[in-house]
Amino acid sequence: MQVQVVDYRAPGAPEQFARSLHETGFGVLVNHPIPQALVEKIYADWLAFFVDGAEKQGYAFSPETQDGWFSTAISETAKGHTQKDLKEYFHIYPWGRIPPSLKADAMAYYEQANALAGELLSWVERHTPPDISRHYSEPLSRMIEDSRLTLLRVLRYPPLTGTEPPGSLRAAAHGDINLLTILPAANEPGLQVQAKDGAWLDVPSDFGMLIVNIGDMLEEASRGYYPSTQHRVVNPTGEGATKSRISLPLFLHPRPDVVLSERYTAHEYLMERLRELGVKT
């Protein structure tokens, strides 16, 4: 299993990228258009927001809208696991609550990343075999038009204290819910993907790379042609255990009415998974 590192500007990039997603569920882009300086500033500013702690208390998450700050106490429990992930995070939607001092950069990144994600989804669509694409209820690129559900999540994995529950991880093995996730390489390592033989492999994640993976909704819509591969964030050791890890995934979601398959609409699938994660009743 080899996650491909693809030059976004290369002539063969769309085909290479789609092939990597088909074979591994993951692809990594270099020379992509998202400014690294913007990513680094967001990392630094949001780390201060999380660590300071005073302001975030006023943005406690809303069970109805799923926006705002999710503390470590209410963090997700990955499907099939019993321990909560060792993380806190903030959900950003254009229509949702965002701290005023952090809004401009967050929305600039959201717009740029969303545009790029839409382009990458069109690459996937273009290189889907006809016998698979004929099952799409509509073109993949159209599924996200006018969607209010594409989510930017700012994650902080706190330093480890040595008192963590046995077996708990920064992010236990899971698949993403959505169509496609794009993720700038974090400020600290730890992301791993599970190979078909069950082995865990480090995902190439040099600072400046953009990591992209298939979500469960696209696996459902493509009848498994694009696999939503299990991935996790492992706990660091040594000096790394004393540092926070900041991550900035954008989860590309379709409109709620989009038909993914004979079994699910996008809304039905999302509600089922949120209940499994324990963040919605």
Side-chain angles (χ1 to χ4, degrees):
M1 177 175 178
Q2 183 80 29
V3 176
Q4 295 296 313
V5 178
V6 177
D7 186 336
Y8 169 84
R9 304 182 191 281
E15 190 277 331
Q16 295 172 33
F17 177 75
R19 184 171 67 248
S20 183
L21 291 180
H22 166 57
E23 293 174 351
T24 71
F26 272 74
V28 175
L29 293 175
V30 294
N31 294 325
H32 57 82
I34 294 179
Q36 185 63 21
L38 176 61
V39 173
E40 292 185 32
K41 186 172 187 300
I42 290 172
Y43 284 174
D45 291 346
W46 280 86
L47 177 58
F49 171 82
F50 284 123
V51 172
D52 175 66
E55 189 177 7
K56 67 186 180 184
Q57 303 295 333
Y59 290 90
F61 95 104
S62 164
E64 291 74 29
T65 58
Q66 295 288 309
D67 68 329
W69 171 61
F70 293 68
S71 71
T72 54
I74 58 171
S75 180
E76 295 169 326
T77 301
K79 183 178 179 179
H81 296 263
T82 58
Q83 299 286 358
K84 288 188 177 298
D85 288 347
L86 305 174
K87 64 190 182 188
E88 62 177 325
Y89 50 94
F90 198 104
H91 277 184
I92 296 174
Y93 299 96
W95 46 262
R97 297 167 296 153
I98 311 172
S101 63
L102 301 173
K103 183 172 183 177
D105 286 339
M107 292 315 304
Y109 176 82
Y110 184 100
E111 291 170 6
Q112 293 177 47
N114 197 37
L116 176 58
E119 180 185 15
L120 299 179
L121 197 60
S122 72
W123 288 7
V124 171
E125 180 182 318
R126 189 187 320 162
H127 292 283
T128 301
D131 63 321
I132 300 298
S133 61
R134 68 183 177 87
H135 295 291
Y136 296 154
S137 63
E138 58 186 279
L140 297 179
S141 54
R142 193 183 302 162
M143 291 181 180
I144 62 171
E145 289 181 359
D146 302 319
S147 174
R148 287 169 48 86
L149 295 177
T150 290
L151 163 66
L152 177 61
R153 173 185 281 183
V154 189
L155 276 156
R156 175 186 175 244
Y157 302 96
L160 301 181
T161 64
T163 61
E164 291 77 21
S168 59
L169 290 176
R170 283 184 157 178
H174 66 283
D176 291 344
I177 301 172
N178 46 293
L179 290 173
L180 205 65
T181 301
I182 71 169
L183 173 72
N187 65 330
E188 294 291 329
L191 180 63
Q192 294 184 330
V193 61
Q194 190 171 33
K196 293 177 181 178
D197 64 1
W200 287 98
L201 307 173
D202 292 332
V203 175
S205 54
D206 292 343
F207 215 45
M209 288 180 168
L210 192 72
I211 299 135
V212 184
N213 65 273
I214 298 297
D216 293 347
M217 288 185 180
L218 187 49
E219 178 178 81
E220 181 75 20
S222 69
R223 301 192 172 205
Y225 180 80
Y226 291 109
S228 178
T229 309
Q230 292 282 293
H231 52 286
R232 66 184 185 182
V233 179
V234 296
N235 297 344
T237 58
E239 184 181 354
T242 67
K243 299 177 181 178
S244 290
R245 183 179 189 271
I246 299 291
S247 182
L248 194 63
L250 181 84
F251 300 106
L252 199 67
H253 274 270
R255 302 182 317 277
D257 62 295
V258 167
V259 176
L260 298 175
S261 67
E262 298 87 346
R263 303 190 299 172
Y264 292 106
T265 64
H267 175 74
E268 291 166 344
Y269 199 100
L270 177 61
M271 292 301 103
E272 178 179 290
R273 287 298 307 278
L274 290 179
R275 287 191 291 269
E276 290 172 346
L277 290 171
V279 296
K280 198 170 185 69
T281 57

